[in-house]
Amino acid sequence: MNKHSIQPREAVRALRGFTPDLSDRTIPELRRILGREDVIKLSFNESPYGPSPQVITALGEAAAQAHLYHDPEGKELREALAQHFAVTADSVFLANGADEIITLIAQAFLSPGDEVIVTDPTFGQYAFAAKLMGAQPVVVPVSENLSTDLTAMARAITGLTKLIVLCNPNNPTGLIIGSDELAGFLEQVPAHVLVVLDEAYAEYVDDSQFLSGIGLVDKYPNIIAVRTFSKIHGLAGLRLGYGIAHSQVAALIDRVRSPFNVNALAQVAALAALADISYSARVATLNAAERRRLTAALAALGYKVYSSQANFIFADTGQDSERLCQALANEGIIIRSGANWAMPAFVRITLGNSLQNDRLIEAIKKFNQR
């Protein structure tokens, strides 16, 4: 473009468009790129178990109504979520995935010059949403043991701080913030500073030290808890996230939400998934078993594996992990290199099912023997 052509907002000028690498490709794309059918994708934290059979049935029945517009407020799903979590429906808001929730929060509350405190490494959408609105991400590195450094984050709060984002369990480390530590941190945060607790992986947690933000909203009206149907419920392709906040905060976010932002089929699927409690419990049990097994297997191979509470593990390979990632890709197995977070010796591996993890372990053993 020349100087007389259409120009974006200043904040947009500094953004970089998403450029997918191999680990971001779909399975059909990977099959074509790798020239093989037996591809296992363990880079996107998707559920290997898929959605509940009740979800599939509900989607089939609802498909015939896809030509009709649905409730733009998602009242039925919001009421179901409110009952599930023992909150009021006006404290629940819906979005087209947790990514959109982060963007909606930024649109509702951030102005140019505001500061947003985030840890590093963590999910990149937080910093992106801040920059989109002209706000400034204030990055606080994790502790030496990769835990979220809440002491340093509290010190980073200034008069310009508008928002703090905590991913719990954190992506990519899988580590949780202990309940006492989180409670102590919240006491230090000024009441006008919003604290977003991204709990996308909360349903996988089996550590009693985990403290969800959902039960803290009454005490701390500046908390926004974020959840998703993409992970344990296996609905990643339908894009449905939700937030729980004080009703006044939720109402402000709703002002910037587009009507019909969550499609009708996603809402039908979410209602069925939420109702099938036994299925999600079974997925959590299977995930925990595979998490323990893969952690032990990688540790036995000499990798330092961190204590994940999510559906993925984060491991230090002790070398440039790109070589491992490429070797696994040659075997039809896709994982994610820590180079994405400037941690080139690390890998993040989504937990597959038992057969997928068996194949992964054997492929890593083969790589180690070279």
Side-chain angles (χ1 to χ4, degrees), residues 5 8 31 49 87 94 103 105 110 123 133 148 151 185 191 208 219 222 229 242 247 250 272 282 315-316:
S5 58
R31 287 172 176 158
Y49 307 107
V87 298
L94 306 178
T103 303
I105 292 170
L110 296 181
F123 185 40
M133 302 310 298
T148 302
T151 300
F185 174 75
S208 62
K219 183 176 181 180
N222 57 333
F229 281 90
Y242 58 98
S247 59
R282 177 172 172 268
D316 185 351

Side-chain angles (χ1 to χ4, degrees), residues 168-367:
N168 191 26
N170 190 25
N171 175 13
T173 66
L175 301 179
I176 64 166
I177 299 169
S179 56
D180 291 343
E181 189 180 8
L182 178 59
F185 174 75
L186 292 173
E187 287 294 322
Q188 300 177 67
V189 177
H192 67 277
V193 174
L194 287 167
V195 179
V196 174
L197 293 170
D198 184 348
E199 300 176 350
Y201 303 95
E203 290 89 351
Y204 293 110
V205 176
D206 56 15
D207 189 328
S208 62
Q209 289 301 304
F210 175 75
L211 180 63
S212 172
I214 294 174
L216 300 174
V217 170
D218 285 343
K219 183 176 181 180
Y220 302 100
N222 57 333
I223 283 180
I224 305 173
V226 177
R227 295 282 182 108
T228 181
F229 281 90
S230 294
K231 306 305 178 184
I232 201 163
H233 296 295
L235 302 182
L238 288 178
R239 312 306 303 128
L240 205 167
Y242 58 98
I244 296 176
H246 187 279
S247 59
Q248 293 180 3
V249 173
L252 291 171
I253 294 169
D254 205 50
R255 293 183 187 181
V256 299
R257 180 189 66 84
S258 298
F260 307 106
N261 65 326
V262 176
N263 72 77
L265 294 182
Q267 293 187 45
V268 166
L271 284 164
L274 197 64
D276 196 351
I277 296 173
S278 62
Y279 183 80
S280 56
R282 177 172 172 268
V283 171
T285 298
L286 291 169
N287 182 82
E290 289 303 309
R291 188 170 61 203
R292 289 190 296 269
R293 188 167 76 93
L294 189 56
T295 295
L298 292 183
L301 291 171
Y303 297 166
K304 182 177 181 179
V305 186
Y306 288 78
S307 184
S308 173
Q309 283 288 295
N311 70 333
F312 57 84
I313 59 175
F314 200 53
D316 185 351
T317 68
Q319 57 185 298
D320 184 354
S321 67
E322 291 288 353
R323 291 181 57 248
L324 171 63
C325 291
Q326 186 57 57
L328 292 179
N330 292 339
E331 299 287 335
I333 303 171
I334 305 299
I335 64 173
R336 190 172 293 278
S337 166
N340 291 269
W341 301 279
M343 302 176 74
F346 285 75
V347 290
R348 192 195 70 188
I349 305 174
T350 303
L351 294 166
N353 60 35
S354 60
L355 294 177
Q356 291 171 330
N357 292 333
D358 284 344
R359 186 171 150 196
L360 170 71
I361 292 167
E362 290 306 310
I364 295 177
K365 286 179 179 178
K366 179 179 176 181
F367 172 79

